[in-house]
Each structure stands twice: as C-alpha cells, then as structure tokens.
Amino acid sequence: MRCWCSSATPSRRSTPSAAATCSPTSARPGSPTPSRRSPPTSAATTRWSRRSTTCSTTLSWATPRSPSTPSRPRGPPTTTACAACPGRRSSCGRCCAPTSARRPTPSPASTPSAAGSPPTWPSRYAASSAPAPRSATRTPGRGGDLTAGHIAVLAHTRRDLEQVRTALREAGVPAVITGGQSVFSTDAGADWRALLEAMAQPHRSRLARAAGITAFFGLDGSDLDVGGDPLTDRLSEELRDLALTFAGRGIAAVFETLVSRGLSERVLGTVGGERHLTDLRHLSELLHDAATRERLGLSGLIAWFLDRQREATDATTERTRRIDSDAHAVQLVTIHGSKGLEYPVVLAPSLADRFVGRQAPAVLVYHDDDRERVLHVGDPDARPAALVARHHQEDAGESLRMLYVAMTRARSRLVVWWAAGNNVPHSALHRVLLGRVPGAAGVPDRLEPPSDEDTVRWLRRWADPDIGGPDLARAEPGEPPPLPTRPDPGPLAVRTFTRPVDLLWRRTSYSALTAVAEDPPAVGSEPEVVEKDDEPEIAVPAPEAAAVTPVPSPLAPFASGARFGSLVHAVLEHADPAADDWYAELLRHVTEQLVAWPVALDPEALADALVTVCDSPLGPLAGGRTLRQLPLADRLRELDFELPIGGGDTPVPDPRVLGDVAGLLRQHLPPGDPVLPYAAALADPALGDQVLRGFLTGSVDVVFRVRDGDDERYLICDYKTNWLGPADEPLTAAAYTPDRLAAAMGHSSYPLQALLYAVVLHRFLRWRVPGYDPERHLGGVVYLYLRGMCGPETPVVDGVPCGVFSWRPPAALVVELSDLLDGARVGGAS
C-alpha cells in the first residue's frame, strides 16, 4: 500500500462483477422481467452442492406497515423444503432440520435506523437460534439431534454478535463469540476493573456498589436498593480486606479468597458461566504475572490493566481460552472470521443491513490504475469527486465478496433475513437479489427498495422451485420455543481418585538439577523469555599458572550480570559473520536486542568489543578458526531439546539417580581430566540422589559444524560472560588461562551441563547424520569465556587460547551416559 494525498483524477472503474450470483430471470429464461427498481430481497440464496452435500436455504422477509394496519395472525412455524427429496414441501426429518422464521415484522417505530439495526432485533431473532425439542429436529445430514453447537450466527461486526449473545443467553441458549477475542475486553475484564478500582478506594460508595454487582459478589440493582447503606458499608469492609490480602499475598490470593466465598458456584449457575469463570481466572493469572514481574502495587496494577484494555484488539496475544463447553454453544462469528470454515446450520440475520454515511470518509482506500492499493489522506474538501466515487465502488464490491463468504458457510441449512429500512439500499444482499436485470452481470452500488407488493412479487420469483430457489417465509414475531429438558443425571457424588500418581516423574532442566540446594520461590511465573541463569559469579582461587601477556579484556568496561549475558548471547546468535560490514552488523543487532535486554551501555562500544571477541581463535577443537570464520550455514543456533530420561512418558520401573553418573566419570576419564573432580561433587545426597525420570529440557547455545576436507565433526559451544578476575584490578586475558578456566569449571556445575549437552548432541546426530559414528562426529565441547577472548593477540597456553575451555569427552562415555539416562545399568554406574 502507498499513501497518496494528491488530487489526481482516476480513470473510470467498472462496477464490481457479481458472477458468483444469479438472478431468477437469468436462471429461468422466459420468466417475467422485474422492473429496474425491483424490491429489496430477503435472506435468500440458491441451493449449492458442496462436497456432495445439498444445502437448503430459507428466505425470510419483513416489510414495514403503518401502525393502523392490523397485525397479521401468526401461523405455525414455516419449515424449509427438503432439498434432497424432490417434490416435498416440508422437511423429511432425516437429512435436514426445520427452521422457523421468527424475526418480527418491524413497525415504523422499529425500522432500522441509519446507524444500524434496531436494538430489539437480537432478542426477537434469538428464537430462531434456540434449538427446538429433540423430537422435532435432527442434525442436518448426520442423523443426530440438532443442538446449539450445530448452529452458527454470522454478522459483520463483533458489536452485533455481542447483542446476539446477550439475547441468546437471556433465552437460556448458550452462545460464544469465536475468533480470538481479547480477554481484556470481555465481561470478565469489566468485572476485574470494577473490583480493582473499588479495592483501591473502598471508602467510595459508588465504586463499592459497582463492585457489588460484578460476579465477584453476585448482587444486582435490587439487592443494592434493598440493602441500602448497611450493604454498601459491608461491601466496603470486604473490599478493604481484599486490599490487605493483595498487599500481603498478591492478586492470586485475592482471587482464591473470592473463590472460597462461593464465586465458582455462583458463576457456574448462570448461562455461559463456565466461559465467564474461565475468563476471570485467566485474567487473575495475567494480573498476578504483571504484579510479580513488574513489582506493581495496586495503583500500578490498575494502570497496567487499563492500558491492556485500551490496547485490546482481536490481534492480541492474550485471547480468551477455548473451553470444552464452547463446542456445545451457538457459534457467533464475524463474516470475515468465518472464511474457510463450515457449519451445519448458518443464520445470517443482518445481511440486509449495511450503513453507508452520506459524508465521505476522512481516509479513502482504493486501487489506482496500476492496481496498487492507495491510502488517500488528503484534505477531504479538496479531494476530487472521482476518488470518492472510486472508494465507494470498491467498498461496495467488497461487500459483495463478504456476502459470498457468508452465504457459502452452511453445510445443510442457511437462513437469511430481509427487512425494509434506511440501511437496506447499500446492502449487498438487497442489491444482488433485487438489483440485477436480465442479461446484466453488474450489481448496482445502491438500490432503493421498491413497494411492498413489488418486493413480495420479486421474492416469490426467487422462491420458484423450478429454478432451485430458496424457501420463502414471512418473518413474524414469536417467543422462543421451550428448551429441551435435560435428562435427570441421578444422584451426584464426589468421584473417588484411584489412579496412583508418580511423584518421581518431572520435567526438569540442568539449572533445576543443580539448584536443589536453593529454596525455590513459593509463588512465581513462567515468562516466555528469561535471562540467562547459568552464569553465576564464582570466586575461584587463582592456581599457579605460566606467565602470559596481560592483554586487556575488550569486555572489561561492561558490568557483569545476567541481563548483559543475555544481551551478548542474543547478538551473537543473530549476527551474520558473512556481512560485508561486520561492525555495522553487530551494531544493528546490539541496538535491536537492547530493546529486549535493556542495559545501560554504549551500543557502539559493545559492537566494537564484540568485533575483537569474534576475531579470537577458538583453539584446536575448532581447527584454530574464529567465530567470524564459522558461517551461519555451519551453525545450529539455540538447539532446543526435550530429552526423555528414565523412559520419558513410559517410565522404567527402576530408574537411575544423578549420582550414578559419577561411576561413569571415574571409569572413562583419565587422571588429570578437568571434569573428573565433578564425580566427587555428585556424592552430595542433595545433588546425587535426584531420580532421573521424566524429561530433561533446555537449549544449547550453538552447535558448530567443523569441516576438514571430506571429514566433519560437530562441536558444542556455550557462551559465558562470567567475570573471573579480581574486582579491584583491570580485567585481562591472564584471568582466563586454561588452568584457571578448569578451576572455574570445577567450582561450578558446568561439567554436568557439558555432559548433558554432549548426550543431546549424540542423540540428535544419531537421528540426523547418515553413517553416524560417535568417535568421528562428536567433536567435543568449548565454553567460550568471552571476557577472556582478546582478538588475534589472545595469549595461547599449551596450544589452547585464553578464554576457551576445550574438552573432548570419550565417545564411550557419552554413549553410556545416554543409556544411563534412559534407565539402563551401564559401565561403572552402581
């Protein structure tokens, strides 16, 4: 789309074609030709054969009459003809369900206004959506009982659907708006807003009474009127208690307190209660997450909630959750949202209602002569009339496309309505049915409704069975039929839980396995993106080491911390080393990632430091290459895994414990191996006695593919930004010599991480690499301590550069560890 604000006059554009529709006269040659001002049409459509299923259609019409004209007596419900049984004028009861046309005939007082349908139509129309007694209806084409879940109601806007939902619930019919509504814009959102505002100011009687009529307290206007000031005072006192609960234990405790006072029973006792209670609980979880993550008090939480309500759209990620009972309710769907879907029975009550204002819109949307979409934001008073006309023509054409979508959603039955009113002339249904003339393919953009007599005459032509037209029925006011009685469920009792629960099964991670000594938080949330939690600052005793040149660390100016580590990880993950300007590439990603990981630093300084880091040698396991010399094609970044341990979903009867890994280390690692001392750490019961049953989850920073001629091996890499040098001295490469890194590994749980990641890579390559050989393809593990990587001048000790911890575990150790995690007794495991 481009934005246009000039006054160029477009060429004339042809009227939108309606090739997908047909007029009765064109379908039946020789039939009487209607006048050019043919009457507006009612909800009608022809029969379609879609997927070998015949769809029958009911066309209901209503015309205005003067108040003095007596109301016509209401006859029995009109049923549609069975499209699958030629010659029948009523439902056969086997392949289609009778549909009653019960939309009222509007009087002048209820004629649709220019702004839309009359506010009373949803409640009157609700009778058409109420399923009739089971003895009278069968599921179309399926032979089962017709229920609310088989019916869909289509409308142009969500506001219309909300009116229908309200009317259906008042009639006792469950209904749900589908399509991903924001949970903040639901009735539950209004209830939470009223409760939070009243908790913040419980002394204000207006707010206390507003909270009283929410689902949280279950009162109504009559209760407040009868209870008077004493009831208001009691509400204020309860709100003060809830505010104290929030201050001491959080919003989750507030919700559970209300549940203990009968919230669930009260809400579930209403029509649509399961949907409402689900939304209330969903919002409580979102509020709790926001309060704990952003450390919000009550006032801050209210401000956060109001912002979410203002920003709520159908595109929001916080959509209402689907529940089982939604499948048994009438589906309320916008026409646009119904694209590609199909329903047994479709009701479209508002297709004859389309409001088009007399004034041109502030912004015009159309296609220019080159078929490029234009958004015209020029001065409304200076716009050429031709542009306005083009906008209206395309808008009218779009309404025809939406009509096609609405009238092709039904599998077995489609019911549409037509009624004269101010909004009828622009409706696509009215223009298609009454605006076509024989031999013409175009549909007028606007058509005034003809007289009542001409309308009825025209609609009867459409209903001619010889041309396969719809069944025609006059819509009359009516009350919803009685709802089918539910069978007596019999005596109810609490179900006895007899299935044993495997308390040893769990979904864990490397961080969780090594954090057993810490007290887990009592209440917490699970954000989708978390900071790196595997880089603790470790005080490492400095071993005796060979003297190295104290090359300054390029990352020394930047403070340590989990957020800084996450920032650097994200930059190295996304930056492309093949970029023409490596510095510009790093700077762009630093700037982008600072939005997600805000740190007070100079982006240009960090990008410059990372250039130096990426030019540092990675050691012999990587063939002396640098990060810049390993292209993205040879990197598998953020290898997420979910590793079954102890049988996974099918647990082994006798699982292993984490301490069994110690026996494998002692069996396969030679003396002096930097990982061997970790076997002693596994003797700690808190760490070693953990049962390995369930799933191990995590993510490997990157796997490198290192090529040497025709041979290739795979190398695990993990980035670390730990500060290992003294805090009061300049940080240099001397703090990251291989022996110091080995000591740092020994004083942490990184050896366990390296072992687990090696098993992850082993299993991954075993599934993906033809002719996989652990001895040849497992290249080892490198931990890159980025603060010790100082570019080409990085000191090298015994062939290994500073800042790089290199370790290649024996292939037999990795294979047996994989088997041990599966639950087998192997090697030196006890």
Side-chain angles (χ1 to χ4, degrees), residues 33 99 120 290 294 321 332 346-347 360 362 393 435 445 452 501 584 680 704 776 805 820:
T33 301
T99 302
T120 56
E294 302 183 23
R321 293 172 175 170
L332 309 180
V346 171
L347 309 180
Q393 284 179 346
D445 294 343
D452 292 355
V501 177
F704 295 133
R776 182 164 60 94
F805 173 79
L820 184 144

Side-chain angles (χ1 to χ4, degrees), residues 408-697:
T408 54
R409 299 306 96 199
R411 181 186 305 126
S412 301
R413 174 67 53 80
L414 169 68
V415 183
V416 289
W417 280 256
W418 179 93
N422 294 339
N423 293 347
V424 166
H426 293 94
S427 74
L429 178 68
H430 169 69
R431 290 152 43 214
V432 166
L433 289 178
L434 302 178
R436 298 280 301 281
V437 295
V443 176
D445 294 343
R446 188 179 189 279
L447 180 70
E448 288 293 335
S451 64
D452 292 355
E453 294 76 14
D454 289 342
T455 301
V456 174
R457 188 182 307 113
W458 184 265
L459 295 180
R460 284 176 177 166
R461 289 196 190 111
W462 268 104
D464 189 335
D466 293 337
I467 65 171
D471 291 295
L472 190 63
R474 185 183 181 92
E476 299 285 355
E479 294 299 325
L483 295 176
T485 58
R486 296 182 179 180
D488 184 5
L492 302 178
V494 177
R495 185 176 179 180
T496 302
F497 186 82
T498 58
R499 182 176 64 86
V501 177
D502 186 356
L503 299 179
L504 298 178
W505 193 100
R506 63 173 174 162
R507 189 170 179 268
T508 188
S509 66
Y510 151 74
S511 299
L513 288 173
T514 57
V516 290
E518 302 177 5
D519 293 331
V523 179
S525 57
E526 296 181 2
E528 294 182 1
V529 180
V530 297
E531 297 176 353
K532 300 291 292 185
D533 60 353
D534 61 349
E535 297 182 6
E537 298 304 327
I538 306 168
V540 182
E544 293 295 332
V548 298
T549 304
V551 181
S553 168
L555 294 178
F558 304 99
S560 60
R563 184 167 297 180
F564 176 74
S566 299
L567 170 65
V568 173
H569 278 70
V571 172
L572 294 179
E573 175 189 349
H574 294 96
D576 184 359
D580 294 334
D581 189 335
W582 181 229
Y583 169 78
E585 172 77 359
L586 289 171
L587 179 60
R588 179 172 67 88
H589 285 287
V590 168
T591 305
E592 290 178 355
Q593 295 301 329
L594 277 173
V595 176
W597 310 106
V599 180
L601 53 76
D602 180 0
E604 295 181 354
L606 178 57
D608 189 61
L610 291 178
V611 168
T612 303
V613 169
C614 294
D615 285 336
S616 305
L618 302 183
L621 293 185
R625 294 172 176 83
T626 66
L627 286 175
R628 288 187 66 181
Q629 294 171 338
L630 291 167
L632 293 184
D634 287 334
R635 300 186 186 193
L636 184 58
R637 295 164 291 170
E638 293 298 326
L639 174 59
D640 296 327
F641 61 86
E642 190 164 73
L643 198 72
I645 53 176
D649 287 328
T650 309
V652 297
D654 186 18
R656 308 275 70 76
V657 295
L658 188 59
D660 292 340
V661 176
L664 292 179
L665 297 180
R666 296 188 179 99
Q667 177 186 355
H668 290 282
L669 298 182
D673 189 285
V675 175
L676 181 59
Y678 190 70
L682 292 172
D684 181 0
L687 180 64
D689 289 351
Q690 297 181 82
V691 176
L692 300 175
R693 173 180 285 179
F695 282 88
L696 179 73
T697 66

Side-chain angles (χ1 to χ4, degrees), residues 551-554 612-613 616 732-733 786-795 802:
V551 181
S553 168
T612 303
V613 169
S616 305
T732 68
L786 302 175
R787 293 183 186 271
M789 299 172 64
C790 306
E793 296 79 20
T794 301
C802 293

Side-chain angles (χ1 to χ4, degrees), residues 42-384:
S42 103
T45 130
T46 54
R47 297 185 180 119
W48 298 274
S49 177
R50 306 176 67 236
R51 289 203 255 177
S52 303
T53 302
T54 303
C55 176
S56 63
T57 305
T58 298
L59 173 59
S60 304
W61 88 92
T63 53
R65 50 176 175 266
S66 64
S68 60
T69 303
S71 174
R72 184 170 145 188
R74 186 171 74 246
T78 305
T79 61
T80 60
C82 176
C85 306
R88 297 185 66 98
R89 296 302 301 161
S90 61
S91 171
C92 67
R94 288 181 289 105
C95 59
C96 56
T99 302
S100 299
R102 297 182 181 273
R103 188 181 181 205
T105 301
S107 65
S110 63
T111 299
S113 64
S117 303
T120 56
W121 75 261
S123 59
R124 296 179 177 178
Y125 144 77
S128 297
S129 298
R134 293 191 175 190
S135 60
T137 59
R138 306 291 288 173
T139 303
R142 299 297 176 88
D145 293 327
L146 179 67
T147 65
H150 295 117
I151 301 172
V153 179
L154 305 185
H156 288 287
T157 65
R158 184 177 292 274
R159 183 183 64 179
D160 291 339
L161 297 178
E162 289 172 348
Q163 293 177 351
V164 174
R165 180 180 60 182
T166 300
L168 289 173
R169 288 181 175 178
E170 290 176 352
V173 180
V176 59
I177 297 177
T178 63
Q181 180 185 13
S182 168
V183 71
F184 291 99
S185 61
T186 61
D187 292 340
D191 285 356
W192 267 109
R193 175 176 177 175
L195 177 66
L196 293 173
E197 291 177 339
M199 287 169 54
Q201 302 181 71
H203 59 281
R204 298 184 60 179
S205 60
R206 179 181 63 82
L207 296 179
R209 293 163 73 87
I213 61 175
T214 65
F216 294 117
F217 295 95
L219 304 176
D220 56 26
S222 299
D223 297 329
L224 295 176
D225 184 54
V226 173
D229 291 340
L231 177 58
T232 303
D233 293 340
R234 181 164 59 83
L235 285 173
S236 297
E237 189 61 32
E238 291 187 32
L239 291 166
R240 290 188 184 92
D241 292 341
L242 292 175
L244 292 174
T245 301
F246 170 80
R249 293 186 290 158
I251 200 69
V254 171
F255 184 76
E256 294 305 325
T257 298
L258 292 167
V259 169
S260 68
R261 295 177 182 177
L263 172 64
S264 299
E265 294 84 349
R266 184 167 53 251
V267 175
L268 291 176
T270 62
V271 177
E274 186 176 359
R275 166 82 276 155
H276 192 50
L277 184 62
T278 300
D279 291 342
L280 289 173
R281 184 172 292 279
H282 185 186
L283 285 169
S284 74
E285 295 170 1
L286 297 175
L287 287 164
H288 169 74
D289 176 69
T292 54
R293 175 167 36 84
E294 302 183 23
R295 301 183 180 275
L296 299 176
L298 192 53
S299 298
L301 191 60
I302 293 173
W304 177 89
F305 191 81
L306 295 180
D307 287 342
R308 300 291 85 72
Q309 285 194 315
R310 282 190 291 267
E311 298 168 0
T313 64
D314 289 348
T316 180
T317 56
E318 299 298 348
R319 299 186 176 187
T320 53
R321 293 172 175 170
R322 182 80 175 175
I323 56 178
D324 292 341
S325 61
D326 288 350
H328 306 290
V330 174
Q331 306 295 300
L332 309 180
V333 195
T334 62
I335 296 176
H336 186 273
S338 69
K339 290 181 179 180
L341 302 178
E342 189 179 68
Y343 307 92
V345 177
V346 171
L347 309 180
S350 59
L351 291 183
D353 177 24
R354 177 171 174 261
F355 171 68
V356 176
R358 296 181 179 179
Q359 295 182 348
V363 177
L364 302 181
V365 181
Y366 59 88
H367 290 80
D368 61 14
D369 296 338
D370 297 326
R371 304 306 301 158
E372 183 177 0
R373 198 167 184 227
V374 177
L375 185 68
H376 195 292
V377 296
D379 183 1
D381 296 331
R383 291 184 304 207

